[in-house]
Amino acid sequence: MATPPAPPHRRVLRTDYLSNLPDSLLLLILSFLSTHDSVRTSVLARRWRSLWASVPAIRFHYEDFHPKVVSRADEIVQQFIASRRDSSAVFSLSIDLDHLCPVTWIDYAKSHGAHEVTLYLGYYPLQTPIFSTLFDWPSLLTLELEFGIGWPRVDIPPECIALSSLKKLILTVGVFSMESMRRLLACCPNLGELSLDVSDIYDATIEIAVPNLRRLFLAGPLGKTRINCPNLESLCIRSSSYLEEFHVYAPSLVRVHLVEFRWCHRLASSLCNVAELAISLVILPADLVEAKSMIESFKLFHKIKKLRVQLHLLNEFTMQLLFLFLRESPNICLLHLMDEKDEKEPCSPFSHMYDDQGESLQIMPSKSFNNLKLVLVQINSEIARSTFLEMLSERVQAWGKVVVRYRALTVM
């Protein structure tokens, strides 16, 4: 006997809303996937069979290839390019494949209007000519270059550089000579965002003179650095050593992030006009002499209005160091604290450090903090959190008007 149809109220309508979207929107969605995954969508339905051939982003990465076929990656990519619709534009190229020479891929992307390029370049003897192709790209807007080990020092001929439209550059420093780096940056008049990750073996001076630069991120050993950027607004420094010969001219600077304040505090005199500061006090001074040098630099940040600090409040001396900073920054209206430690050990906020004469470090007096309006707390340890808020409340004149908000901890 045949099964009667389900009542109308129990029928399930299986409508493929995704496939009913226009091609332009589907291609945009597929452009966020790796090329490997976008090609795999061809088996979903007839509607998807050839969409991958028009996706405006080409993204090939080492993880997309099975170990048995990774040696044929170059051949596979060439086959993919040959299978694309030649009339389809390419706005983004991302290649992360070691020991391959992607000159032909770059030429293809350039001829099809790409304006974003991300490349990982493992060293290959025939790779050097790639730069004459890559840097002669007047319409390119974003360029990210990461280099594998084994690269010799490379000089870029000045006639090879044409990056007049480039707005964002992310680069590993260590392959190009100092003169080539200076020449490269000088040929990017519209560069607004620059990120440099300095190799440990790079010992030349880094010179950054970009008139229209707005955002700058620097990482690695930055001992010899000169910055001359009159319109720079945001600076992030992730140094792995003391900044002995680090000079900054950036009169428009507003926001600064010093990932480890211990290595960077000697820059304070160059950053004294900033209004927003993010620092890490996780690595503490080694002795009282270094501690006093850090504390003396606190006085130069008296104009700060927004302060974000990553620290470990349960560590000895950290709470005291924080309040010494706050003492010298009376204009702070927003304070954001982040502490990922969650130990349940007792918290000793005052850990005095003494020199040979028995001198101790003093913190801010009671009711001396008048402008604080908002405190954002991301502190895992309940003991550290309550101890800090109790100490802060004793030093804020109108604590009842201060808003305290708690947030889930995220990486700084």
Side-chain angles (χ1 to χ4, degrees), residues 77-362:
V77 175
Q78 297 291 0
Q79 290 176 353
F80 165 79
I81 290 178
S83 302
R84 287 189 90 251
R85 289 198 178 97
D86 194 56
S87 60
S88 300
V90 177
F91 67 71
S92 177
L93 174 69
S94 178
I95 304 291
D96 181 3
L97 295 172
D98 205 355
H99 302 298
L100 297 177
C101 186
V103 173
T104 55
W105 312 339
I106 294 172
D107 284 332
Y108 178 85
K110 186 188 296 189
S111 65
H112 285 70
H115 54 255
E116 296 179 4
V117 172
T118 300
L119 295 177
Y120 172 82
L121 299 176
Y123 179 60
Y124 187 66
L126 300 178
Q127 193 89 290
T128 303
I130 191 176
F131 300 116
S132 59
T133 301
L134 185 59
F135 292 151
D136 185 10
W137 203 330
S139 61
L140 191 63
L141 299 179
T142 300
L143 175 61
E144 180 175 354
L145 285 180
E146 183 180 355
F147 297 95
I149 61 174
W151 274 85
R153 193 61 54 88
V154 175
D155 286 306
I156 310 171
E159 64 273 11
C160 293
I161 307 176
L163 295 167
S164 56
S165 299
L166 195 68
K167 296 184 180 299
K168 182 177 181 180
L169 176 61
I170 302 174
L171 185 64
T172 300
V173 177
V175 171
F176 303 127
S177 65
M178 181 176 67
E179 184 58 34
S180 292
M181 280 296 304
R182 186 186 300 114
R183 189 182 298 130
L184 177 61
L185 294 179
C187 291
C188 303
N190 292 303
L191 193 64
E193 183 174 343
L194 175 63
S195 177
L196 299 180
D197 190 350
V198 182
S199 168
D200 291 336
I201 62 173
Y202 192 77
D203 57 357
T205 300
I206 301 170
E207 293 191 13
I208 303 171
V210 185
N212 293 313
L213 195 66
R214 295 294 192 274
R215 293 175 296 278
L216 175 60
F217 174 86
L218 299 173
L222 305 169
K224 299 178 181 178
T225 306
R226 288 198 290 268
I227 300 172
N228 185 352
C229 299
N231 291 304
L232 188 66
E233 298 173 353
S234 178
L235 172 63
C236 178
I237 299 175
R238 187 185 295 272
S239 179
S240 56
S241 60
Y242 288 112
L243 304 182
E244 300 289 351
E245 300 179 42
F246 197 106
H247 305 283
V248 180
Y249 174 72
S252 302
L253 201 58
V254 177
R255 295 174 296 277
V256 172
H257 183 182
L258 305 177
V259 177
E260 287 300 344
F261 192 76
R262 179 185 177 187
W263 309 129
C264 307
H265 72 273
R266 298 176 186 178
L267 285 179
S269 59
S270 302
L271 310 174
C272 58
N273 291 319
V274 299
E276 300 178 26
L277 179 67
I279 62 174
S280 171
L281 296 177
V282 172
I283 299 180
L284 297 175
D287 51 39
L288 186 61
V289 173
E290 187 178 21
K292 285 186 174 181
S293 177
M294 286 181 62
I295 294 165
E296 192 66 22
S297 70
F298 294 167
K299 298 177 181 179
L300 299 172
F301 290 108
H302 60 280
K303 295 183 180 180
I304 290 177
K305 295 185 178 180
K306 297 180 180 180
L307 176 63
R308 183 174 60 161
V309 186
Q310 183 181 27
L311 72 177
H312 292 162
L313 288 171
L314 295 178
N315 286 0
E316 188 177 21
F317 183 59
T318 302
M319 189 84 77
Q320 193 170 355
L321 196 63
L322 172 62
F323 277 94
L324 285 165
F325 197 120
L326 296 178
R327 183 186 67 183
E328 305 297 344
S329 308
N331 296 313
I332 291 178
C333 58
L334 187 154
L335 177 61
H336 183 179
L337 289 189
M338 305 174 68
D339 185 350
E340 61 188 18
K341 282 197 170 184
D342 56 3
E343 290 90 344
K344 297 181 179 180
E345 61 192 55
C347 181
S348 302
F350 298 100
S351 304
H352 296 290
M353 299 178 66
Y354 296 96
D355 61 10
D356 294 337
Q357 287 74 40
E359 181 182 357
S360 64
L361 302 173
Q362 302 299 320

Side-chain angles (χ1 to χ4, degrees), residues 365-395:
S366 176
K367 304 299 180 183
S368 59
F369 216 35
N370 302 322
N371 296 302
L372 192 63
K373 300 290 189 269
L374 175 63
V375 179
L376 302 178
V377 180
Q378 291 178 278
I379 302 175
N380 280 344
S381 169
E382 183 178 350
I383 297 174
R385 184 168 62 245
S386 60
T387 302
F388 164 74
L389 290 175
E390 181 181 354
M391 291 177 60
L392 185 63
S393 66
E394 294 172 354
R395 288 158 179 83

